[in-house]
């Protein structure tokens, strides 16, 4: 009877490990699937991008680069 109990426990553990490994494979596949690049059409991008905000950010970055360039030129002197 004890031998039978041990056999059942081994099967149960093996089944548990098998299920766990299958879940890990499923999670890996889902991560790979959802991490792939998605291709957007021009219409989708136009709908998603806030053009006014993007232009403000670009203006800020241009001003920052100009001031940084000025600091670098002053540093060389």
């Amino acid at each position: 009877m004890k031998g039978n109990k041990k056999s059942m426990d081994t099967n149960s553990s093996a089944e548990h490990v098998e299920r766990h490994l299958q879940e890990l494979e499923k999670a890996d596949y889902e991560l790979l699937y959802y991490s792939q690049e998605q291709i957007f059409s021009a219409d989708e991008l136009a709908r998603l991008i806030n053009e006014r905000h993007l232009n403000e950010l670009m203006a800020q970055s241009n001003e920052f680069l100009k001031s940084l360039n000025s600091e670098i030129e002053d540093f060389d002197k």
Side-chain angles (χ1 to χ4, degrees):
M1 185 87 166
K2 283 186 178 183
N4 191 18
K5 170 84 170 135
K6 185 174 182 175
S7 177
M8 288 176 60
D9 289 343
T10 302
N11 288 339
S12 176
S13 295
E15 289 171 1
H16 178 72
V17 168
E18 182 65 25
R19 279 194 307 265
H20 182 68
L21 291 174
Q22 288 174 353
E23 289 296 319
L24 288 175
E25 287 177 11
K26 181 180 173 185
D28 287 345
Y29 174 76
E30 289 174 353
L31 182 61
L32 177 64
Y33 177 79
Y34 290 115
S35 67
Q36 292 177 352
E37 290 185 27
Q38 300 294 320
I39 298 173
F40 293 97
S41 71
D43 291 337
E44 288 173 314
L45 288 176
R47 185 175 51 83
L48 294 173
I49 294 174
N50 182 333
E51 190 173 347
R52 182 186 58 80
H53 184 64
L54 181 60
N55 286 333
E56 289 173 3
L57 289 173
M58 288 174 59
Q60 289 175 3
S61 67
N62 285 341
E63 288 180 29
F64 171 74
L65 290 174
K66 285 178 186 174
S67 69
L68 185 62
N69 197 21
S70 172
E71 292 293 325
I72 290 172
E73 289 174 1
D74 290 344
F75 182 76
D76 286 341
K77 295 178 182 177

